[in-house]
Amino acid sequence: MEKKIWGKGEASEKDVWLYSTGNFSNNLIFMMIMMYIMYYYTNILGLPAIVAGMVFMVARLVDAITDPLMGMIVDRTNTKRMGKYRPFIIFGAPFLGVAFVLLFTTPNISMPGKIIYAYITYIFYSLTWTVVQIPQLTLPIMLSNNIARRTRIQAVFQGIGAVAVMVVQSWALPMLNFFGGVDNASAWSKVVIIYAIVATLIFIYSAQSVKKLDVYNPHAGKENAGRRNMSIIQSLKSVFTNRLLLCVILAYGTDMFATQIGNSMRIYFFKYNMGGRLDLLVYLGYVGLVAALVMILFIQPFIKRLGKRFGITIIESISILSSIVLLVAAPQKNIVLVMLSFVATTFLFNITNLLSRAAILDAANYSEMKTGIANNALISSTFTFINKVCQAISAFFAGYILSITGYNAAAAEQSPATLQAILYLLTIVPIVAYIFSLIGMYFYPLTRQGELDMEAKITEMHTAKMN
């Protein structure tokens, strides 16, 4: 079984699918927060939009320290009983579930107390998310050394996660309505408790499913000695001098910034700009699911032919056109074109998100190829950190724009300035972000041939370590 782990073999198809169930839990929690936490803070908890944005920003300052530290801790972990990654997922998942529930709990206290409560619970959620996410997102690097197949593994991972996205986007609002409505605090608590229990159990199941793969590594002694000889500054330097990683961060980070603003604004857009058509949100969840299932079939040959650099460039270019369609169609309330734009954007993001996640693992290999030390979890921690930074900055930015344009949570209709701001947050901001993504991929150092050369080099290095 060690052959599968240290580079001479491949994880079975069953291993891949069972491990990937963990992404259902990831997205059940992440999408619920990404889509609805801003609305919950402003319309249920009663926080001013600008204050809600500040909560996210402060939590990210904490992540600036905890995420890379967690990555280094995971890289140095090598337990004889539970391996490298599973201990963090299994023991961290219940705490993450509790943190998730606390986020959507409304205490009966004064406004200053609610603000303090929001800070404490969001930081707690962010810390528990770090403990679970970094090891889970690093795990695929042990399932395959083949870059194209590893991209397909990410497609399976994302495909199962897309089911959770569909559950949140298409079922959360009907569930809230069943329990009392989107403006009922008790309804939010009930829905989130259900999601938290399901997510926690599946997290643990997913980690246990790879117990034959995530085992003690008897060859890790020399590598860990090398890590111990590296200071924290040297470890971080190995991250920030990784050109491939920096290009992915620029491309993925700006794309995620646009997407997270778009997701948080959708409920506002359909409620106010489209005359209360929240029912249209339900259909978008199914788009992501279809996109994810299609990619399981076609992403491996797509990457074999084009590579990540050219593939992401194509998708980002089409995304710009999709945003332009929404910019033109929304003021006319052309539901057909509006929905076509949202469908296209949702479908395209699923592809770029998948390719970017796979590129992070390539960045870990790139670092190992250059330094001889596999700081895989440290590299992956940059992904979780950038993900959360984009979530925070986008929420702060959106909250600030809503505040200065006169958003009023108690009003049934919003001012023309607020309506225009919501539209621009969904169109102009993403267009600018996509342009930065294109710049990142222009400087991406690996062509498809470069990916193949790196794959061969990493296999050679892993084989040498075993001998």
Side-chain angles (χ1 to χ4, degrees), residues 262-280:
N263 282 333
S264 66
M265 286 297 104
R266 282 181 180 182
I267 189 169
Y268 295 95
F269 176 79
F270 283 104
K271 182 174 182 177
Y272 301 117
N273 294 59
M274 298 302 293
R277 292 299 306 273
L278 292 178
D279 57 298
L280 297 175

Side-chain angles (χ1 to χ4, degrees), residues 3-72:
K3 290 182 178 180
K4 287 186 178 179
I5 303 171
W6 315 125
K8 287 190 175 180
E10 296 286 312
S12 69
E13 195 69 5
K14 180 181 177 182
D15 295 331
V16 170
W17 283 85
L18 292 179
Y19 154 74
S20 296
T21 59
N23 203 32
F24 183 92
S25 297
N26 288 338
N27 283 347
L28 202 61
I29 293 175
F30 181 74
M31 288 301 297
M32 192 69 184
I33 293 172
M34 184 167 70
M35 291 191 67
Y36 298 122
I37 193 63
M38 174 65 82
Y39 183 85
Y40 182 85
Y41 276 174
T42 58
N43 288 46
I44 307 300
L45 199 57
L47 303 184
I50 189 68
V51 172
M54 282 300 299
V55 171
F56 306 135
M57 289 294 291
V58 170
R60 294 298 78 85
L61 295 177
V62 176
D63 290 331
I65 300 173
T66 58
D67 276 31
L69 285 178
M70 186 65 197
M72 286 183 272

Side-chain angles (χ1 to χ4, degrees), residues 163-406:
V163 178
V165 174
M166 181 271 294
V167 168
V168 173
Q169 290 188 341
S170 300
W171 296 1
L173 289 179
M175 289 177 70
L176 286 167
N177 288 331
F178 176 80
F179 287 116
V182 296
D183 293 320
N184 184 302
S186 176
W188 287 93
S189 295
K190 291 172 183 176
V191 171
V192 168
I193 288 172
I194 293 171
Y195 284 1
I197 292 172
V198 172
T200 299
L201 294 176
I202 294 179
F203 266 133
I204 295 172
Y205 173 77
S206 170
Q208 285 292 77
S209 72
V210 293
K211 62 182 180 181
K212 293 182 180 179
L213 298 172
D214 183 17
V215 298
Y216 175 72
N217 178 5
H219 309 290
K222 292 182 179 179
E223 200 162 88
N224 278 333
R227 291 193 188 98
R228 286 192 292 269
N229 291 331
M230 294 177 69
S231 67
I232 293 178
I233 299 299
Q234 289 173 318
S235 295
L236 294 177
K237 184 179 179 180
S238 71
V239 171
F240 293 108
T241 57
N242 185 329
R243 180 181 166 187
L244 191 153
L245 176 63
L246 295 178
C247 289
V248 174
I249 287 175
L250 177 59
Y252 173 81
T254 51
D255 193 63
M256 179 57 71
F257 175 77
T259 299
Q260 294 201 11
I261 283 183
N263 282 333
S264 66
M265 286 297 104
R266 282 181 180 182
I267 189 169
Y268 295 95
F269 176 79
F270 283 104
K271 182 174 182 177
Y272 301 117
N273 294 59
M274 298 302 293
R277 292 299 306 273
L278 292 178
D279 57 298
L280 297 175
L281 277 171
V282 172
Y283 301 105
L284 296 178
Y286 296 102
V287 176
L289 178 59
V290 171
L293 296 178
V294 168
M295 285 187 292
I296 292 175
L297 298 175
F298 296 109
I299 199 65
Q300 189 166 346
F302 178 81
I303 288 301
K304 279 186 176 181
R305 184 173 182 84
L306 298 179
K308 294 184 181 65
R309 180 182 181 183
F310 192 44
I312 293 177
T313 298
I314 292 174
I315 300 303
E316 298 287 14
S317 300
I318 301 173
S319 297
I320 292 175
L321 297 177
S322 176
S323 295
I324 293 174
V325 170
L326 180 61
L327 179 62
V328 174
Q332 310 301 322
K333 294 190 177 180
N334 188 323
I335 293 178
V336 173
L337 288 180
V338 165
M339 289 304 293
L340 283 175
S341 175
F342 274 108
V343 166
T345 300
T346 301
F347 194 96
L348 293 168
F349 173 72
N350 274 269
I351 301 176
T352 54
N353 185 42
L354 164 62
L355 296 181
S356 298
R357 287 173 180 268
I360 289 291
L361 299 179
D362 296 348
N365 282 157
Y366 189 80
S367 176
E368 183 178 2
M369 184 175 67
K370 296 292 185 181
T371 66
I373 297 176
N375 289 315
N376 299 332
L378 178 58
I379 298 294
S380 290
S381 72
T382 63
F383 175 87
T384 62
F385 176 63
I386 291 299
N387 206 347
K388 289 186 286 186
V389 165
C390 291
Q391 187 179 17
I393 296 176
S394 64
F396 176 78
F397 182 75
Y400 175 75
I401 296 299
L402 288 179
S403 293
I404 65 174
T405 56

Side-chain angles (χ1 to χ4, degrees), residues 41 44-47 51 55 105-121:
Y41 276 174
I44 307 300
L45 199 57
L47 303 184
V51 172
V55 171
T105 299
T106 306
N108 186 20
I109 52 179
S110 65
M111 181 53 65
K114 288 182 178 179
I115 293 173
I116 294 171
Y117 176 84
Y119 275 107
I120 292 174
T121 53

Side-chain angles (χ1 to χ4, degrees), residues 128-193:
T128 55
W129 182 258
T130 294
V131 170
V132 175
Q133 275 285 284
I134 289 175
Q136 189 184 55
L137 294 179
T138 312
L139 256 171
I141 206 163
M142 71 163 52
L143 304 182
S144 178
N145 284 328
N146 183 294
I147 288 177
R149 183 172 187 253
R150 199 160 63 197
T151 303
R152 182 184 174 277
I153 291 172
Q154 287 293 324
V156 175
F157 188 73
Q158 188 162 308
I160 294 178
V163 178
V165 174
M166 181 271 294
V167 168
V168 173
Q169 290 188 341
S170 300
W171 296 1
L173 289 179
M175 289 177 70
L176 286 167
N177 288 331
F178 176 80
F179 287 116
V182 296
D183 293 320
N184 184 302
S186 176
W188 287 93
S189 295
K190 291 172 183 176
V191 171
V192 168
I193 288 172

